[in-house]
Amino acid sequence: GQGPNVGFQLSVAPANVLAGEAFTVSVALANDSNLPLATTSVALVLPEKVISLDDPAERVVTQSVGSMAVGAVSNVAFHLMATGDPETVKHLTADLTYYTPGSKAQFAENSGLDLPIGQPAVAVTVTAPASVESGQNFPVTIDYVNNTSQPVSGVSVAMVYPAGFTFASASTSLSADGDNSWSLGTVPANASGEFTVTGSLLGSPGAVFPIAANFVMAAGGDTYAIASPTANVSLAASPLALSVSLDGSNSYIASPGDQLKYVISYTNTSNVTFQNAVLTAKLVGRMFNFPSLQTAGAFNSINDTITWNSVSAPQLASIAPGQSGSVNFLVGALPAFPIRLLSDKNYAVTVNAELASPTVPAGAAASSTLYVAGLATKFRGKIVLGETAYHRDPTSGIPNSGPYPPRVNTATQYTIHWFVTNYATDAENVTISAYLQPGTTCTGAVRTPASTTFACDTSTSEVSWQIPAVPATTGITGKPLEAVFQVVNTPAVNQVAQDVTLLGQATLSATDVFTGTSMQSTVAAVTTALPNDTSVATLNRPLSNDLFIR
């Protein structure tokens, strides 16, 4: 409601607020009424990308003023920082609430302030060539300057590389966190600095790749990306095209035991002849069966690199304009995944090819030319469905009744176990299904993991087990997933002296999360022969004149 007259004004210092620099918003209050004020407080509503340094998690920060006598003045200060969006205007809103003595009515007033956010406290720029060749190293220069008259600490620069970028080196003694982040430490007032990151891009000619340098500042126990300047680099047409293929494809999905047929191809697209070229291929990955390697090149088994020169591949002695050529090699994949730990999953192999020549095209500022290409190949996983069946099954917790060997027109119960073992990749949307055969029904006794769903459809006789996800190495580094369900079968007179089929062939289908491909596994039908039930394997059979089913 409308309360006593209270002066209420906001101000900011310093007047020029920089992104990443602390500043203060002051709220001046004056009780210009003829009544004292009680329980007075000011709540400041913070816009996006502005935080309170006193309580960074809060979006509304409140300070109590308490009582104000007639004519009293008061001032409260909020310590803030803009954590991004330089060169923008933010709007602050302050809400004043108070009471008058003897009244339960709360009075409220509000005021606002437009807050221009200037340049970052530490300005960072990123500069890179507008156009580079695929596979050629190029520099990315990061410049930074402290725009304030005070030292700034807790600052780092985190590079954001596009897919296809390979880091080579960085020319800086700054403290590094990997290949993409450097701490600037404390940047003195008005000081500046520079460092260079060198790397290469792989991609198609004409493709544009953004390379960003995030200016990150620590404040209030958290870190904030204050600004993210970006340089765009496009790929020029290379004077020499180099590519790696596997079985004629760049998207081949491998399996254990495959024979991997690699071809490295090149084409001179320039108007110069490349002399004395040397082509190398580095093989990376645990699934390569290196003793099976077949190649005309020289293999170094210390660094797993094949090298071809003009002796092993005479066409490399001179590559004329427009000329194409290739080398190849054959290597087997290991017949099984080398799983030892829970983390042994998502197997892949990579071939990184390089073609080097002392010939330098006109205008190139290099002493030699180097072209690179690579091919990464994923291995599809393997998931296996296992199955056993029992009449006497004390460990399952589901007791079975009825005669065994089974008798005509007499019900006998059996427990069927399904096991899921998954090897090297995570699987999802796993479904196992089979159909009950005539004379067999489910009893409803089931034991399955809590996260899975088991169903027995009486209208279709389909038995199904749905599993949302099966992690890699399930059943290898631990126990397989297991479902146990009970069925009952009553044999008919026309089934005498036969092994009655209880459940038809079971089929598992799933999706390989790593490769996106489908996975399948099957097991044979379940019969009353029960080869896994050793407790009934030696039972004496009934007399031949007795109707029975063994």
Side-chain angles (χ1 to χ4, degrees), residues 82-102:
T83 63
D85 296 344
E87 310 295 345
T88 60
V89 177
K90 303 289 186 180
H91 185 75
L92 292 170
T93 301
D95 296 319
L96 170 68
T97 57
Y98 55 90
Y99 295 84
T100 56

Side-chain angles (χ1 to χ4, degrees), residues 71-72 79 87 145 187-188 191 239-240 262 264 275 326 328 336 367 426 448 481 496 523 526 531:
H79 305 292
E87 310 295 345
V145 58
V187 184
L240 194 141
Y262 283 95
I264 303 173
Q275 304 284 353
S326 65
N328 59 77
S367 57
D426 295 334
T448 58
L481 287 183
V496 170
V523 290
V526 176

Side-chain angles (χ1 to χ4, degrees), residues 94-116:
D95 296 319
L96 170 68
T97 57
Y98 55 90
Y99 295 84
T100 56
S103 172
K104 294 183 178 179
Q106 183 187 60
F107 299 99
E109 298 182 31
N110 59 70
S111 182
L113 174 71
D114 283 333
L115 181 68

